[in-house]
Amino acid sequence: MLTECIAVISGAWAPNVIWCLRAGPRRFNELRIDIPPISAKVLSTRLTELLERGVIVRHVRDTSPPSVEYELTELGQELIPALDEIVKVGHKLKTMGYLQKQYD
């Protein structure tokens, strides 16, 4: 089961995209601002993959000009508690100085 779950969130920046969508729908450029190091190409690829995996849904809004928003599906929402725990461990590792040692 671990392998299947990891496959759903695999890909550079995929967990970050899911994490940024936890608070609600976001547009493409909002996600680029939320994840500064991500390129437009990589973000586009991750969004397509997450759409195909059923983690997010794409809404085209009938505005002028039309806008597109991305939102977590029920499956995507179910991933948030797991990602939240990973973030908590990351904070703990950071306070322990472990992450700093790894990147010095």
Side-chain angles (χ1 to χ4, degrees):
M1 293 301 143
L2 178 62
T3 303
E4 290 80 2
C5 186
I6 296 299
V8 170
I9 62 170
S10 69
W13 303 107
N16 300 73
V17 172
I18 297 166
W19 188 251
C20 289
L21 290 172
R22 75 191 186 285
R26 307 287 284 161
R27 295 191 317 257
F28 185 89
N29 285 331
E30 291 173 325
L31 289 168
R32 288 225 33 224
I33 291 167
D34 291 343
I35 312 168
I38 197 169
S39 70
K41 181 180 179 184
V42 170
L43 178 56
S44 180
T45 300
R46 288 302 90 79
L47 289 169
T48 300
E49 291 170 354
L50 292 170
L51 280 162
E52 291 170 353
R53 295 173 187 159
V55 176
I56 63 173
V57 64
R58 182 179 185 262
H59 299 288
V60 179
R61 302 292 181 207
D62 189 20
T63 58
S64 183
S67 63
V68 176
E69 290 183 333
Y70 298 91
E71 183 176 20
L72 292 175
T73 62
E74 187 176 324
L75 171 61
Q77 290 289 345
E78 290 180 27
L79 294 168
I80 297 303
L83 293 177
D84 188 42
E85 291 303 315
I86 291 170
V87 169
K88 286 178 186 176
V89 171
H91 285 297
K92 185 175 182 180
L93 291 171
K94 186 175 180 179
T95 59
M96 293 170 44
Y98 180 77
L99 294 178
Q100 188 61 36
K101 293 175 195 169
Q102 292 295 107
Y103 297 107
D104 281 344

